[in-house]
Amino acid sequence: MATVVVGAGLSGLAAALRLAEAGERVTLLTKGIGGLPLSAGTVDVLGYAGDERVTRPYEALVTLAAAAPDHPYALLGRDAVEAAVAWLQAQVPELLAGQPGVNVTLPTAVGALRPTCLYPPSMAAGADLAGKAVAIVGPRQLKDFYPALCAANLARTPGGPAAAVGHSLDLPARPGEADASGLAYARSLDDPECRARFVAAVAAVVGDAEVVGLPAVLGYKDLNAWRAIQEGLGKPVFEITLIPPSVPGLRLNDALTALAKAAGVRIVLGSKVTGYTAEGGKVTSVTLHQAGHNQPWPADHVVYAPGGFESGALRVDSYGHVKETLFDLPVAAMGSGTVATERVLRATATGPDTMAPEGSAATGPDTTPAPAQPLLTGDFWQDQALFKLGVRVDAALRPIDESGRPVFTNLYATGSLLAGAIRWSEKSGEGIALGSAWAAAEVILGR
Amino acid sequence: MFEPTSHEANLLARASVDQCVKCTICETQCPVMAVTPLFAGPKFVGPQAERFRHGESVDHTLDYCSSCGTCTLVCPQGVKIAELNSVARAAMKRDHMPPRDRLISRTTLMGQAMRPIAPLANAALRAAPVRVLAEKIAGIHRDAAMPVSSGQPFHAWWAKHQPAPTAGPAGTVIFFHGCAGDYFEVATSIQAVEVLERLGFNVLVPKQGCCGMALQSNGLYDTARAWVRRLVADLEKAPQDLVIVSTAGSCQGMLKHEAREIMGVEDESLQAIGTRTRDICEFLLEKIEAGQLNFGVKRLDVTVTYHAPCQLKGQGMGQPAVELLRLIPGVTVVESGATCCGIAGTYGFKKEKYEIAKAVGQPLFDKVKEVNPKLALCDTETCRWQIRQHTGAQVEHPIYLLHKALGLS
């Protein structure tokens, strides 16, 4: 049997790797590199339930599923998510530490504390700062990292360190480079000589701090570079994730891509899937828009993991109309136990704080009474319905239409495409990506 | 009307600028940025600078872009970063094109000039004083890999060639060898014909000129456009329902998409030719996977590094050579894992870029030396020259191994 996976984010890579290691013939098609290099390199399962910070994500996931039956976690269940997260950790133990059922909080680049579940070992010391004296240190020539800002915010964050002081170093990544990305630093810190200079400069400013927070640039290919730096300083260090390019995300992306290739996944990078053929309710091939011609890639199963709005797989136009762009799958939103179709949301979106243009409420005969909710509201922290939009699936992860029937019997949607979750405020993105990839693979493998 | 190389004329690539979300994925993969701070990076000189150009060149570090195309390849949003940068550089160099760049971009000229005096020309290009002079006068780095002219061009071999008795039952294909395949990498072209014939294909080789790739990468668009149109006309003389099979890994990309996407050649004939063009490994693999070829190969016990060149990767078809060679029992193909060999067409020949090109290719050279220092595989000509130069290994087109496995050598 041949499976085609579309998309190379965490969900696509995980599905491809899982299937290939079970003996499936897998081809992964992707327009570009997936979203992992933009991620923190951590695995969030569930960070917040409403306003409450979650400490035991699996237990909270069960509670959430009971209260929100349209949430992807209600469909996936605790077992699939737990199995998937444990499986991923076993694949890359050098990149993911932590106890799967327990959240920690890690400092961000602006000095907030962010809950997550698994994290690089190089970040572990950042999970345990309460009551300690912390130094935050970074080079002045590194883009978008301000040690003083990070330290000042950390010091006033509940649950944060007893004291935190920021220090900026004068230390270009390469001679003459005034404004370098984290990756330029990470590459230079792969080199023992540069590392020694870095350690000396950091050691000169940290004084008697007990723990040292450094930007997440402590080596790229050399996964032990941070340990060498820690040893050199003689005190615990922790990495702090920066804005993209994210070195911890790149490390994870590289590792998973290499594992997928080693397991026999054929990766086709650089072309977009622009169409498909179907017969008898099954997708028979997807069409890849290669240079010069369109190439059909036959498939027995298709795992569709293209991402959501960020990647363009879901698109919202200026009238508030939302579309899934490849298969034109029905786009649905979830809320209070009922399914509201995308057009209903569009029709009810009104008022100055919404993104739908004035007057659009009156358009067309589609308007049916339904939960009135604007797509976006002016208050960032409010429930933003737009981000709950997505594709609704059955228990086998197959996208379904409004009557609940699968659109195709061998098409499985995973990851950010799934409706019902606001990943960035719940901190549930990786858990959903992994759990859905795992569940789709189980169905394909007939388990 | 706009100037043909103007930014306004380059609407196709420009239309993609707003797709850029500044995610920096292109920067993480740019092989030049990784080794030198002299290049501000594809995002900075591309989608960002493009908004400020209005006909003016706003960032001159652009000259250090090698045009490898990796940025476009990895962009998840479909921004034509490399294409934008190529056009912007052509505009930047327009009024002060170095004579060197005009010279080294004429592959056929070099081939034709060197051929009658091949031993002499080859010796001259190896001689240190000649190379020092070339560096001083023309800016071609003294250590850069130079092509080795083969005494007999492919077209002379072809003129005397009798089809193998196995040719025919699988159908007829057109073979496109490119000009380096005519003058410098002649063995590859011969191997390709012999492999195709052994696998049952009848092979046609229409007279064919240069695709203009090197001119294009040096910003000499007007001549490059004329050349690619001439090549299209050449290839059109063969029956127009046949697949065009190619061993010229980058030139086939010129036909498939680059002439249109970089130089804006809107031409139905070009598009028709591009649609019929296939990389030789892509073509054979598709036939084998569809069960349309009897693929009887013998065992070859060899472990070899395969490097997929940038311009082959840019065709977005994966790495068909890897899949194809893995069908040969005993062959272990190790992917180079390297982004680029550094040469990027003619980039690595240039005095001021030679060291950068070498640093770009270093991980690849190390890999070749580690896996099999005697033999490595790569689909494009100048990349093979670069890898040979820096590893001392024999570097061949992937078809070389298939030729052996079919008992043809």
Side-chain angles (χ1 to χ4, degrees):
Chain A
M1 297 291 266
T3 298
V4 167
V5 177
V6 180
L10 180 60
S11 201
L13 282 172
L17 175 56
R18 174 79 187 131
L19 286 164
E21 68 173 19
E24 274 284 302
R25 209 147 55 80
V26 184
T27 302
L28 188 151
L29 307 177
T30 180
K31 172 70 195 90
I33 287 180
L36 277 174
L38 313 176
S39 80
T42 57
V43 175
D44 298 347
V45 175
L46 190 63
Y48 290 94
D51 292 337
E52 291 295 307
R53 188 176 283 171
V54 167
T55 53
R56 302 251 161 204
Y58 293 143
E59 286 148 35
L61 176 163
V62 174
T63 312
L64 170 71
D70 295 323
H71 193 281
Y73 278 153
L75 199 74
L76 297 170
R78 173 180 174 156
D79 290 351
V81 179
E82 202 171 338
V85 171
W87 168 82
L88 184 76
Q89 191 175 29
Q91 295 289 331
V92 284
E94 70 285 6
L95 288 175
L96 291 176
Q99 228 181 306
V102 181
N103 277 351
V104 297
T105 56
L106 296 175
T108 70
V110 293
L113 289 176
R114 181 180 74 88
T116 191
C117 184
L118 302 185
Y119 46 87
S122 56
M123 295 183 187
D128 182 26
L129 298 180
K132 293 186 177 153
V134 177
I136 306 292
V137 188
R140 201 167 281 125
Q141 292 84 357
L142 170 63
K143 278 182 202 197
D144 304 307
F145 182 66
Y146 305 98
L149 170 81
C150 179
N153 280 341
L154 259 187
R156 68 191 179 95
T157 298
V165 186
H167 306 277
S168 286
L169 307 172
D170 196 23
L171 196 71
R174 295 180 286 199
E177 200 165 18
D179 189 26
S181 77
L183 183 57
Y185 274 97
R187 284 183 172 129
S188 78
L189 292 177
D190 277 342
D191 171 22
E193 275 179 39
C194 293
R195 215 147 60 203
R197 278 199 297 277
F198 181 78
V199 168
V202 174
V205 297
V206 293
D208 48 13
E210 296 161 84
V211 191
V212 181
L214 299 165
V217 302
L218 308 184
Y220 172 32
K221 300 283 180 190
D222 182 352
L223 299 182
N224 284 311
W226 73 273
R227 288 195 173 88
I229 289 166
Q230 177 167 271
E231 218 164 277
L233 285 172
K235 46 183 88 179
V237 303
F238 62 93
E239 286 195 305
I240 302 167
T241 305
L242 307 179
I243 64 161
S246 157
V247 175
L250 272 165
R251 294 178 194 135
L252 191 55
N253 186 63
D254 289 0
L256 291 178
T257 305
L259 284 170
K261 281 192 164 206
V265 176
R266 181 168 166 182
I267 297 180
V268 180
L269 169 69
S271 293
K272 191 172 181 175
V273 178
T274 52
Y276 64 97
T277 58
E279 211 181 292
K282 283 186 134 183
V283 177
T284 46
S285 75
V286 296
T287 312
L288 194 65
H289 182 62
Q290 294 177 193
H293 70 281
N294 290 327
Q295 182 73 24
W297 288 76
D300 298 309
H301 300 279
V302 176
V303 175
Y304 188 44
F309 289 105
E310 308 86 340
S311 65
L314 292 176
R315 185 165 292 165
V316 56
D317 68 17
S318 55
Y319 296 96
H321 193 108
V322 180
K323 244 178 113 67
E324 185 282 309
T325 52
L326 176 57
F327 295 96
D328 200 14
L329 298 168
V331 173
M334 310 296 175
S336 51
T338 56
V339 177
T341 63
E342 167 274 323
R343 64 168 190 273
V344 173
L345 278 171
R346 174 167 51 94
T348 53
T350 52
D353 280 340
T354 70
M355 70 169 289
E358 275 184 61
S360 68
T363 55
D366 290 351
T367 47
T368 46
Q373 202 179 5
L375 285 178
L376 287 174
T377 71
D379 180 354
F380 184 82
W381 296 111
Q382 282 285 308
D383 215 25
Q384 304 285 1
L386 181 71
F387 296 99
K388 281 191 181 172
L389 289 175
V391 168
R392 203 161 58 105
V393 293
D394 67 9
L397 278 294
R398 296 175 302 187
I400 51 175
D401 60 21
E402 283 163 37
S403 62
R405 280 187 297 267
V407 182
F408 299 104
T409 54
N410 62 342
L411 175 71
Y412 314 86
T414 72
S416 308
L417 191 66
L418 298 181
I422 301 184
R423 292 154 179 81
W424 47 272
S425 62
E426 295 170 0
K427 306 281 176 222
S428 58
E430 286 89 15
I432 294 171
L434 290 167
S436 56
W438 178 271
E442 293 290 287
V443 175
I444 292 168
L445 297 170
R447 292 178 184 170
Chain B
M1 278 301 289
F2 297 114
E3 281 292 311
T5 50
S6 73
H7 305 291
E8 292 82 357
N10 187 31
L11 294 175
L12 193 72
R14 283 206 122 196
S16 71
V17 169
D18 285 345
Q19 297 288 109
C20 177
V21 296
K22 310 287 158 67
C23 75
T24 71
I25 280 177
C26 59
E27 293 192 345
T28 68
Q29 306 299 313
C30 173
V32 175
M33 219 185 160
V35 301
T36 175
L38 291 174
F39 178 44
K43 173 175 73 96
F44 187 85
V45 306
Q48 271 169 221
E50 190 66 20
R51 292 194 162 80
F52 299 96
R53 281 199 175 104
H54 299 293
E56 278 178 57
S57 297
V58 296
D59 185 292
H60 291 263
T61 75
L62 174 59
D63 188 47
Y64 280 92
C65 164
S66 74
S67 281
C68 70
T70 303
C71 43
T72 295
L73 178 73
V74 301
C75 175
Q77 304 290 346
V79 184
K80 298 284 185 186
I81 312 162
E83 290 79 355
L84 279 169
N85 289 341
S86 230
V87 173
R89 193 184 35 240
M92 185 172 87
K93 287 170 71 181
R94 205 173 160 75
D95 302 322
H96 52 276
M97 183 67 68
R100 172 198 63 196
D101 293 8
R102 293 185 193 279
L103 177 72
I104 58 176
S105 53
R106 285 170 158 73
T107 325
T108 36
L109 184 71
M110 280 178 81
Q112 283 161 354
M114 285 170 70
R115 189 182 55 78
I117 50 159
L120 200 64
N122 292 336
L125 287 180
R126 276 196 303 267
V130 175
R131 295 302 301 274
V132 172
L133 214 60
E135 180 177 297
K136 294 254 184 269
I137 299 170
I140 298 170
H141 194 281
R142 65 184 73 174
D143 296 327
M146 279 291 127
V148 178
S149 175
S150 170
Q152 187 193 39
F154 171 74
H155 67 255
W157 177 86
W158 173 253
K160 292 188 219 138
H161 172 68
Q162 293 298 318
T166 47
T172 303
V173 295
I174 297 166
F175 178 52
F176 170 55
H177 48 67
C179 41
D182 198 3
Y183 294 107
F184 300 116
E185 299 285 305
V186 178
T188 298
S189 305
I190 295 173
Q191 286 156 11
V193 169
E194 290 177 349
V195 164
L196 287 167
E197 289 184 347
R198 168 60 62 91
L199 292 173
F201 296 97
N202 188 33
V203 180
L204 301 180
V205 185
K207 179 184 163 294
Q208 48 195 271
C210 177
C211 69
M213 165 72 75
L215 288 161
Q216 183 241 91
S217 71
N218 280 286
L220 296 155
Y221 285 7
D222 293 342
T223 322
R225 284 195 193 98
W227 286 23
V228 76
R229 285 184 200 273
R230 196 178 58 201
L231 172 62
V232 165
D234 286 343
L235 293 172
E236 269 187 328
K237 289 189 184 118
Q240 298 192 13
D241 55 341
L242 300 179
V243 177
I244 300 165
V245 178
S246 171
T247 44
S250 53
C251 310
Q252 73 203 24
M254 184 78 164
L255 292 173
K256 283 181 175 182
H257 65 144
E258 289 196 4
R260 178 168 177 269
E261 291 175 358
I262 296 179
M263 301 194 299
V265 180
E266 291 291 350
D267 187 323
E268 277 179 26
S269 306
L270 168 70
Q271 208 148 337
I273 292 281
T275 305
R276 286 194 280 136
T277 301
R278 295 289 184 282
D279 172 74
I280 190 165
C281 297
E282 176 190 22
F283 173 74
L284 292 176
L285 184 66
E286 195 185 338
K287 292 280 177 196
I288 292 165
E289 290 187 333
Q292 294 166 355
L293 266 195
N294 182 13
F295 191 65
V297 286
K298 64 173 190 187
R299 188 180 174 85
L300 276 185
D301 284 300
V302 63
T303 298
V304 66
T305 302
Y306 166 75
H307 176 66
C310 306
Q311 266 150 338
L312 191 101
K313 284 185 274 202
Q315 292 160 42
M317 59 184 176
Q319 302 187 22
V322 173
E323 311 299 328
L324 184 66
L325 296 176
R326 282 183 180 154
L327 298 175
I328 304 172
V331 171
T332 304
V333 183
V334 180
E335 290 180 36
S336 75
T339 309
C340 177
C341 73
I343 196 79
T346 56
Y347 183 85
F349 292 154
K350 300 173 183 175
K351 180 176 69 177
E352 72 280 12
K353 288 156 187 146
Y354 175 81
E355 288 300 334
I356 295 173
K358 193 173 156 191
V360 165
Q362 199 57 51
L364 166 61
F365 310 145
D366 293 344
K367 188 80 171 185
V368 168
K369 288 177 191 163
E370 170 205 320
V371 172
N372 180 349
K374 295 211 173 96
L375 180 68
L377 304 174
C378 178
D379 320 64
T380 52
E381 299 85 0
T382 48
C383 307
R384 293 202 286 273
W385 303 343
Q386 169 86 342
I387 305 168
R388 281 174 198 154
Q389 162 91 355
H390 292 288
T391 63
Q394 180 188 355
V395 188
E396 298 289 347
H397 188 284
I399 212 69
Y400 167 88
L401 271 198
L402 188 53
H403 193 262
K404 271 192 181 310
L406 287 166
L408 292 163
S409 52

